[in-house]
Coordinates of all heavy atoms in Angstrom, one line a residue:
Chain O
K660 N 123.8 215.6 -102.2 CA 122.8 216.1 -103.0 C 122.9 215.8 -104.5 O 124.0 215.7 -105.0 CB 122.8 217.6 -102.9 CG 121.6 218.3 -103.5 CD 121.3 219.6 -102.8 CE 120.2 220.4 -103.5 NZ 118.8 219.8 -103.4
L661 N 121.8 215.4 -105.0 CA 121.7 215.0 -106.5 C 120.9 216.1 -107.2 O 120.0 216.7 -106.6 CB 121.0 213.7 -106.6 CG 121.8 212.4 -106.2 CD1 120.9 211.2 -106.4 CD2 123.1 212.2 -106.9
P662 N 121.2 216.3 -108.5 CA 120.3 217.3 -109.2 C 119.0 216.6 -109.5 O 118.9 215.5 -109.9 CB 121.1 217.5 -110.4 CG 122.0 216.4 -110.6 CD 122.3 215.8 -109.3
A663 N 117.9 217.3 -109.3 CA 116.5 216.8 -109.5 C 116.3 216.8 -111.0 O 116.8 217.8 -111.7 CB 115.5 217.6 -108.7
K664 N 115.6 215.9 -111.4 CA 115.2 215.8 -112.9 C 113.9 216.4 -113.1 O 112.9 215.8 -112.6 CB 115.2 214.4 -113.4 CG 116.4 213.6 -113.0 CD 117.6 213.7 -114.0 CE 118.8 212.9 -113.5 NZ 119.8 212.6 -114.4
P665 N 113.7 217.6 -113.6 CA 112.4 218.4 -113.6 C 111.4 217.5 -114.2 O 110.2 217.5 -113.9 CB 112.8 219.6 -114.2 CG 114.1 219.5 -114.9 CD 114.8 218.3 -114.2
E666 N 111.7 216.8 -115.3 CA 110.6 216.1 -116.1 C 110.0 214.9 -115.3 O 108.8 214.5 -115.6 CB 111.2 215.5 -117.4 CG 112.2 214.4 -117.3 CD 113.7 214.9 -117.1 OE1 113.9 216.0 -116.5 OE2 114.6 214.2 -117.6
V667 N 110.6 214.5 -114.2 CA 110.0 213.4 -113.4 C 109.9 213.8 -112.0 O 110.0 213.0 -111.1 CB 110.7 212.1 -113.5 CG1 110.5 211.5 -115.0 CG2 112.2 212.2 -113.3
S668 N 109.8 215.1 -111.7 CA 109.8 215.5 -110.3 C 108.5 216.3 -109.9 O 108.4 216.9 -108.9 CB 111.0 216.4 -110.0 OG 112.1 215.7 -110.1
S669 N 107.5 216.1 -110.7 CA 106.2 216.7 -110.2 C 105.8 215.9 -109.0 O 106.3 214.7 -108.8 CB 105.1 216.6 -111.3 OG 104.7 215.3 -111.5
E670 N 104.8 216.4 -108.2 CA 104.3 215.6 -107.1 C 103.8 214.3 -107.4 O 104.1 213.3 -106.8 CB 103.3 216.5 -106.3 CG 103.9 217.7 -105.7 CD 102.9 218.4 -104.7 OE1 101.7 217.9 -104.7 OE2 103.4 219.3 -104.0
E671 N 103.1 214.3 -108.5 CA 102.5 213.0 -109.0 C 103.6 212.0 -109.4 O 103.6 210.8 -109.1 CB 101.5 213.3 -110.1 CG 100.6 212.1 -110.3 CD 99.8 212.2 -111.6 OE1 100.4 212.6 -112.7 OE2 98.6 212.1 -111.6
D672 N 104.6 212.5 -110.0 CA 105.7 211.7 -110.5 C 106.5 211.1 -109.4 O 106.8 209.9 -109.3 CB 106.6 212.5 -111.5 CG 106.1 212.5 -112.9 OD1 105.5 211.5 -113.3 OD2 106.2 213.6 -113.6
I673 N 106.6 211.9 -108.4 CA 107.3 211.4 -107.1 C 106.6 210.3 -106.5 O 107.1 209.2 -106.3 CB 107.6 212.6 -106.2 CG1 108.6 213.5 -106.7 CG2 108.0 212.0 -104.8 CD1 108.9 214.7 -105.8
Q674 N 105.2 210.5 -106.4 CA 104.4 209.4 -105.9 C 104.5 208.1 -106.7 O 104.7 207.0 -106.2 CB 103.0 209.8 -105.8 CG 102.7 211.0 -104.8 CD 101.3 211.5 -104.8 OE1 100.6 211.5 -105.9 NE2 100.7 211.8 -103.7
Y675 N 104.4 208.3 -108.1 CA 104.4 207.1 -108.9 C 105.8 206.5 -109.0 O 105.9 205.3 -109.2 CB 103.8 207.4 -110.3 CG 102.4 207.4 -110.3 CD1 101.6 208.5 -110.1 CD2 101.7 206.0 -110.4 CE1 100.2 208.4 -110.1 CE2 100.3 206.0 -110.4 CZ 99.6 207.2 -110.2 OH 98.2 207.1 -110.2
R676 N 106.8 207.3 -108.9 CA 108.2 206.6 -108.8 C 108.3 205.7 -107.7 O 108.9 204.6 -107.8 CB 109.2 207.8 -108.7 CG 109.7 208.4 -110.0 CD 110.4 209.6 -109.9 NE 111.6 209.6 -109.1 CZ 112.4 210.7 -108.7 NH1 112.0 211.9 -109.0 NH2 113.4 210.4 -108.0
V677 N 107.8 206.1 -106.5 CA 107.8 205.3 -105.3 C 106.9 204.0 -105.5 O 107.5 202.9 -105.4 CB 107.4 206.0 -104.1 CG1 107.2 205.1 -102.9 CG2 108.4 207.1 -103.8
V678 N 105.8 204.2 -106.1 CA 104.8 203.1 -106.1 C 105.2 202.2 -107.3 O 105.1 200.9 -107.1 CB 103.4 203.7 -106.3 CG1 102.4 202.5 -106.5 CG2 103.0 204.4 -105.1
T679 N 105.5 202.7 -108.4 CA 105.8 201.7 -109.6 C 107.0 200.8 -109.3 O 106.9 199.7 -109.7 CB 105.9 202.5 -110.8 OG1 106.9 203.6 -110.7 CG2 104.6 203.1 -111.3
R680 N 107.9 201.4 -108.6 CA 109.2 200.5 -108.3 C 108.7 199.3 -107.5 O 109.1 198.2 -107.6 CB 110.3 201.2 -107.7 CG 111.2 202.0 -108.7 CD 112.4 202.5 -108.1 NE 113.4 201.4 -108.0 CZ 114.7 201.7 -107.6 NH1 115.1 203.0 -107.4 NH2 115.6 200.7 -107.6
F681 N 107.8 199.7 -106.5 CA 107.2 198.7 -105.6 C 106.5 197.6 -106.4 O 106.7 196.4 -106.3 CB 106.4 199.3 -104.6 CG 105.8 198.5 -103.5 CD1 106.1 198.7 -102.1 CD2 105.1 197.4 -103.7 CE1 105.8 197.9 -101.1 CE2 104.6 196.6 -102.7 CZ 105.0 196.8 -101.4
V682 N 105.6 198.1 -107.2 CA 104.7 197.3 -108.0 C 105.4 196.4 -108.9 O 105.2 195.1 -109.0 CB 103.6 198.1 -108.7 CG1 102.8 197.2 -109.7 CG2 102.7 198.9 -107.7
N683 N 106.4 197.0 -109.6 CA 107.1 196.2 -110.6 C 107.9 195.0 -109.9 O 107.9 193.9 -110.4 CB 108.2 197.2 -111.3 CG 108.8 196.6 -112.5 OD1 108.2 195.7 -113.1 ND2 110.1 197.0 -112.8
E684 N 108.5 195.3 -108.7 CA 109.2 194.3 -108.0 C 108.3 193.2 -107.6 O 108.6 192.1 -107.6 CB 110.0 195.0 -106.9 CG 111.1 194.0 -106.3 CD 112.2 193.8 -107.4 OE1 112.5 194.8 -108.2 OE2 112.7 192.7 -107.4
A685 N 107.1 193.6 -107.2 CA 106.1 192.6 -106.7 C 105.7 191.7 -107.8 O 105.7 190.5 -107.7 CB 104.9 193.3 -106.1
V686 N 105.5 192.3 -109.0 CA 105.1 191.4 -110.1 C 106.2 190.5 -110.5 O 106.0 189.3 -110.9 CB 104.6 192.3 -111.3 CG1 104.3 191.4 -112.6 CG2 103.4 193.2 -110.9
L687 N 107.4 191.1 -110.4 CA 108.6 190.2 -110.7 C 108.7 189.0 -109.8 O 109.1 188.0 -110.2 CB 109.9 191.1 -110.6 CG 111.2 190.5 -111.1 CD1 111.1 190.0 -112.5 CD2 112.4 191.4 -111.0

Side-chain angles (χ1 to χ4, degrees):
Chain O
K660 191 151 175 69
L661 292 174
K664 315 270 176 162
E666 65 273 31
V667 289
S668 294
S669 73
E670 291 194 349
E671 198 190 45
D672 278 324
I673 288 177
Q674 289 175 328
Y675 276 98
R676 274 163 61 190
V677 172
V678 173
T679 50
R680 277 192 80 172
F681 188 118
V682 171
N683 192 29
E684 200 61 38
V686 178
L687 188 58

